[in-house]
Amino acid sequence: MTAAAARRSDTARGVARRRRREVLARIAAEPIDVPRLTPEELATLAAEYRDETGVVGGRLVAGNADPCGLDRLKVNFLRHRLARYEELLKGLHGGTGRAAADELLQRRVYGAIAEAYPFLAGECERQLSERAEKRMRARPST
């Protein structure tokens, strides 16, 4: 590698590191305001969200749902309503930086949901664990 190519490569790595730090700082500072709804309102909105988005998972309705399935829908509804994933992750194009930023954002969103709705904390933890397992399986073995 020529000296000029090495300098360009070092510069590109430095820019990528700086961009990653900026995005992580932006995610860490992002306020996450969870809407405060009654359990009934949340169940109704989660069921409507499922119907609008075509989320599969059985015929859950707010009145006679499997509580675990309905909790999953509630968390999904809140997570999608809260997260501005693409806007916050803009500028990261894959690789470790994108994965770290996405993971931080997910932890913050799930944490905010669990804090606002303690009865959903178990489902938030379950979904975070499931995502972590998927990430581990997706990593190439060395």
Side-chain angles (χ1 to χ4, degrees):
M1 181 183 290
T2 68
R7 280 193 303 277
R8 283 191 304 272
S9 182
D10 288 345
T11 300
R13 278 194 295 276
V15 168
R17 282 192 298 273
R18 187 187 80 246
R19 187 177 303 141
R20 178 177 184 239
R21 282 193 306 272
E22 289 170 356
V23 170
L24 289 172
R26 206 170 43 231
I27 290 169
E30 177 71 16
I32 300 176
D33 299 316
V34 180
R36 306 301 173 138
L37 305 166
T38 67
E40 295 79 19
E41 290 172 320
L42 182 54
T44 299
L45 290 171
E48 289 172 1
Y49 167 77
R50 181 216 47 228
D51 293 342
E52 289 171 8
T53 60
V55 172
V56 179
R59 301 185 65 73
L60 299 178
V61 293
N64 61 355
D66 162 31
C68 295
L70 187 54
D71 284 353
R72 179 180 52 79
L73 286 174
K74 290 173 184 177
V75 170
N76 288 349
F77 163 74
L78 290 166
R79 183 172 47 86
H80 286 226
R81 183 160 174 196
L82 293 174
R84 301 176 315 151
Y85 287 106
E86 290 309 313
E87 182 181 333
L88 289 170
L89 298 174
K90 187 183 285 183
L92 293 178
H93 304 291
T96 306
R98 173 87 181 203
D102 189 53
E103 186 177 343
L104 174 61
L105 182 57
Q106 287 175 16
R107 281 196 320 265
R108 291 210 55 231
V109 168
Y110 281 116
I113 292 169
E115 185 177 317
Y117 297 97
F119 65 93
L120 294 175
E123 178 61 19
C124 289
E125 184 59 38
R126 187 195 69 74
Q127 287 190 24
L128 269 174
S129 294
E130 187 176 88
R131 287 172 179 267
E133 287 174 22
K134 285 180 183 177
R135 278 193 304 276
M136 292 301 292
R137 286 193 304 267
R139 286 188 181 141
S141 56
T142 53

